[in-house]
Amino acid sequence: MTTVGEFMTTRLVTMDGTDTLTAAAQEMRDSAIGDVIVTNGDQVIGIVTDRDITVRGVAEELNPSTATLNQILTQDVVTVTQYDDAVAAADLMRTYGVRRLPVVEDGRLIGLVSLGDLAVEREPQSVLADISADEPNN
């Protein structure tokens, strides 16, 4: 059994729910990532993706300089542990229609596993794995 912990990323970017959409977008740009985990201390309270900023923020005409992550975050985030089976994690993504799962231990954030991570691990010859393994070009 391949576990989530074998290929999760521990290079995480977390932000507070009171941070602005602009701050999150800048952090995503600077870190070459597509999401930030919104936390309150060590506890995961939500996730915000670059798509969320666009669809829930800009398209709804929120001012990105004043609107906060709390206004657009996805709450009730599905999480996994580092000991969970990778196939089960992929099934959770499919069931809940998500591409990323925070990895927690005793309720504390320790990593993140993405659909791309799973593709690289489980189907290394797939197009998604090829794209996911490349360095960011933005």
Side-chain angles (χ1 to χ4, degrees):
M1 172 178 83
T2 302
T3 65
V4 168
E6 293 177 50
F7 57 94
M8 70 181 186
T9 183
T10 56
R11 195 191 101 200
L12 303 170
V13 175
T14 62
M15 296 185 80
D16 189 83
T18 60
D19 288 327
T20 66
L21 305 189
T22 298
Q26 290 169 340
E27 184 63 47
M28 289 180 202
R29 177 199 62 206
D30 295 346
S31 299
I33 57 175
D35 63 88
V36 295
I37 306 296
V38 183
T39 58
N40 182 3
D42 286 340
Q43 301 298 309
V44 175
I45 61 169
I47 189 168
V48 172
T49 66
D50 47 6
R51 186 173 189 280
D52 293 331
I53 291 172
T54 302
V55 174
R56 295 179 182 168
V58 176
E60 293 296 324
E61 298 183 3
L62 297 179
N63 180 339
S65 297
T66 58
T68 66
L69 299 181
N70 282 332
Q71 292 177 258
I72 67 162
L73 63 78
T74 298
Q75 297 180 46
D76 301 323
V77 178
V78 179
T79 62
V80 292
T81 73
Q82 63 182 323
Y83 307 108
D84 286 335
D85 179 58
V87 173
D91 288 342
L92 280 174
M93 288 180 186
R94 183 178 307 110
T95 299
Y96 290 96
V98 297
R99 296 184 174 125
R100 300 165 181 89
L101 296 172
V103 181
V104 297
E105 185 172 300
D106 298 323
R108 185 178 55 84
L109 180 66
I110 62 166
L112 184 77
V113 63
S114 71
L115 184 59
D117 295 332
L118 291 171
V120 169
E121 177 65 25
R122 305 296 295 169
E123 298 178 29
Q125 301 305 316
S126 71
V127 173
L128 178 58
D130 190 41
I131 292 167
S132 297
D134 273 350
E135 291 295 316
N137 65 357
N138 51 356

